[in-house]
Amino acid sequence: MNDVVVVGAGLAGLVAARQLRRSGLSVGVIEAAPSVGGRMVRTRLPLEEARTPAWVDLGGQWVGPTHSRFLALLEAHGLRRFPSPHGGETVLCFGSHRCTFSGFFQGFPEGQPPSVPSHDWDDAMAALKQFQALVASLPEGHPHHHPHAAALDRLSFQDWIDAHTHTPFAAWYFAYFCRAVGFLGPAEPDQVSLLHVAWGQRTASQGDHPEEDLIHGGAGQLPALLARELGDALVLGEPVTAIQQPEGEAAVEVITDRSSHRCRAVIVAMPPARVGSIRFTPALPADRIALQEGMAMGNCTKVLIAYGRPWWRESGLSGIGIGDRPWVELCADSSDPETGLGVLAAFVVGRRRQRWAALGAEQRRAAVLEDLAAYFGPMALEPLEYVEKNWPEEPFVGGAFAAWMPPGLWTRSGEALLRPHGRVFWAGTEVAERWPGFFEGAVDSGERAADAVAALLG
């Protein structure tokens, strides 16, 4: 009988287990998938042997300067970072217009503005000023305690866009922001609560440069390094089907499709929507069930496209493409300088992804490459490798980057996000109060859950 069982071996679960073991408690970790990492996974590009091994992250990949907990983990395991290779000009495609500019405007304007008509840009920036004022009004922590939370939560982000923008460019800018940044999602602006979007910007602002660095060899190598410390305490390929807390006992039983594990406390480190597959005794309260049923995972496919060299830099381009293209609204240079390759990370999200996913494999590939060619030129059409990661099709994850709240859910069920269920505690990047949806949020949630369990068990 372990002191604690952790359900889920993503970053949050591994961090929680590591901390509890180091505090002297016995811990078991049960993971439904055949490997650790959850949304933190890498793959090696199948290139000729003469090349330096080239890894790409199929899930999360970036780290920012304020991600102190995650940075400490990287340092402890000797993982080296390098600056995101974003020097050069950004490309914007909007309608039939294409321009390059020395700036960026994902959630905040930086550097030179794009050469769109001045009334379009002024409209977007005027609305952004109002959005930033709303964001600044939110308190620390989860947003449902805001005095106007109910009113904000009744509205979708699309309702706000319709009321505060007057040009197609400005309306697209905020819709793109919702899909590309995602505020945990990504989601379409008519799907997600205005309160949730404002909270996402409050707690994980693009102004803090969360995509400042990348990791040599990929972020996805970290979970296996964390798992080594667990040894045979880690069980893989065994989905948990039930968690039972017998009345009057200071014990919990975690039941899988093959075995049973008794313990004194449990940490469930899973996306909320995936917790619905577990049967709880006693039953979860109504607000927790509503949370799990309503907090949908982001609709996102990540595509990695590798070339023999980062040829876009020869034209003075940064490798960042932003625009209302049919499929790819955002792509970024993700090239590890130690490989010599050029790698673009592209994202197909929201309803675009639903339409794109219905295409055949060759059609999907051609569609992504055509959009990249519109951003950077015809050389984009001839990659060495093309890799897709369709996160909504992952059975124990169900989407990426993370999960989002539709209108009304924060005020109905926000209290259930962190509230323990007896001896069951919750972890995962979605429950973090700072940097939710990022590695830092996952680490923070794992550490906080471990602290809460340690306090319970004395």
Side-chain angles (χ1 to χ4, degrees):
M1 177 173 170
N2 282 311
D3 291 315
V4 188
V5 168
V6 177
V7 180
L11 181 57
L14 292 170
V15 165
R18 172 181 183 262
Q19 180 166 315
L20 289 166
R21 281 174 64 96
R22 291 185 173 187
S23 71
L25 295 171
S26 59
V27 183
V29 180
I30 306 173
E31 168 58 49
S35 59
V36 298
R39 286 162 275 179
M40 194 178 190
V41 60
R42 66 174 185 165
T43 191
R44 184 172 175 174
L45 294 175
L47 301 168
E48 61 267 26
E49 291 299 320
R51 286 190 178 272
T52 300
W55 296 87
V56 291
D57 280 310
L58 301 176
Q61 64 181 51
W62 283 292
V63 57
T66 65
H67 297 171
S68 56
R69 291 174 174 82
F70 184 65
L71 290 171
L73 275 181
L74 296 180
E75 184 174 349
H77 289 86
L79 301 185
R80 298 173 297 118
R81 293 174 286 139
F82 62 96
S84 294
H86 295 163
E89 296 204 321
T90 301
V91 177
L92 170 67
C93 292
F94 185 73
S96 60
H97 178 67
R98 178 187 180 276
C99 68
T100 64
F101 63 104
S102 298
F104 195 53
F105 61 89
Q106 187 161 296
F108 71 105
E110 186 173 60
Q112 179 188 42
S115 60
V116 297
S118 60
H119 66 279
D120 286 1
W121 183 250
D122 291 345
D123 185 36
M125 292 302 100
L128 181 60
K129 185 176 180 180
Q130 296 176 75
F131 179 64
Q132 289 171 332
L134 171 61
V135 169
S137 74
L138 294 180
E140 296 286 341
H142 291 150
H144 54 289
H145 298 300
H146 186 277
H148 303 297
L152 295 172
D153 204 28
R154 279 195 295 270
L155 300 173
S156 72
F157 191 38
Q158 187 64 56
D159 292 329
W160 185 92
I161 293 171
D162 291 343
H164 292 82
T165 64
H166 309 284
T167 62
F169 174 81
W172 166 79
Y173 169 75
F174 286 97
Y176 151 79
F177 190 28
C178 190
R179 288 185 290 261
V181 178
F183 308 110
L184 277 76
E188 297 288 348
D190 64 323
Q191 296 175 314
V192 64
S193 158
L194 173 58
L195 179 66
H196 183 80
V197 170
W199 172 73
Q201 179 69 352
R202 174 77 168 86
T203 58
S205 171
Q206 288 289 303
D208 289 331
H209 297 92
E211 288 92 23
E212 186 169 282
D213 285 348
L214 290 162
I215 300 163
H216 288 296
Q221 64 192 295
L222 181 60
L225 298 175
L226 292 169
R228 285 181 189 173
E229 194 172 326
L230 299 173
D232 59 7
L234 173 63
V235 176
L236 297 175
E238 198 165 321
V240 169
T241 58
I243 297 176
Q244 299 177 351
Q245 301 180 71
E247 187 175 354
E249 294 186 27
V252 188
E253 187 171 9
V254 180
I255 301 169
T256 75
D257 57 359
R258 294 204 296 272
S259 61
S260 176
H261 308 259
R262 282 180 63 80
C263 58
R264 298 166 61 203
V266 172
I267 294 174
V268 176
M270 298 168 60
R274 288 297 175 260
V275 180
S277 63
I278 300 174
R279 184 177 68 258
F280 287 83
T281 306
L284 295 172
D287 60 349
R288 178 70 203 189
I289 293 171
L291 180 83
Q292 294 168 182
E293 291 176 346
M295 200 174 182
M297 290 295 288
N299 192 1
C300 173
T301 292
K302 185 178 182 182
V303 186
L304 287 308
I305 309 96
Y307 301 89
R309 68 186 193 284
W311 45 266
W312 48 90
R313 299 179 192 171
E314 297 162 15
S315 302
L317 301 179
S318 67
I320 297 176
I322 302 171
D324 64 342
R325 294 293 306 166
W327 312 108
V328 177
E329 284 188 292
L330 172 66
C331 57
D333 189 334
S334 301
S335 311
D336 187 332
E338 293 185 348
T339 70
L341 295 173
V343 176
L344 294 172
F347 302 88
V348 187
V349 302
R351 295 192 180 102
R352 281 171 167 79
R353 199 211 77 88
Q354 288 176 271
R355 297 191 300 270
W356 176 83
L359 303 174
E362 287 303 314
Q363 291 175 297
R364 292 198 306 272
R365 183 181 188 274
V368 168
L369 296 181
E370 284 177 17
D371 278 0
L372 296 183
Y375 288 122
F376 305 123
M379 291 181 69
L381 298 172
E382 300 178 0
L384 294 178
E385 295 293 340
Y386 172 96
V387 180
E388 293 176 2
K389 184 62 172 179
N390 295 302
W391 284 104
E393 298 173 12
E394 286 296 308
F396 303 114
V397 179
F401 320 126
W404 47 270
M405 296 273 202
L409 191 58
W410 262 118
T411 46
R412 288 199 312 273
S413 298
E415 287 295 329
L417 193 60
L418 271 176
R419 186 184 62 227
H421 179 58
R423 291 176 170 263
V424 177
F425 296 78
W426 313 105
T429 192
E430 283 85 3
V431 311
E433 293 183 333
R434 174 74 168 137
W435 291 115
F438 288 80
F439 296 140
E440 180 72 4
V443 176
D444 178 57
S445 75
E447 291 180 350
R448 288 175 183 268
D451 286 342
V453 167
L456 172 71
L457 301 184

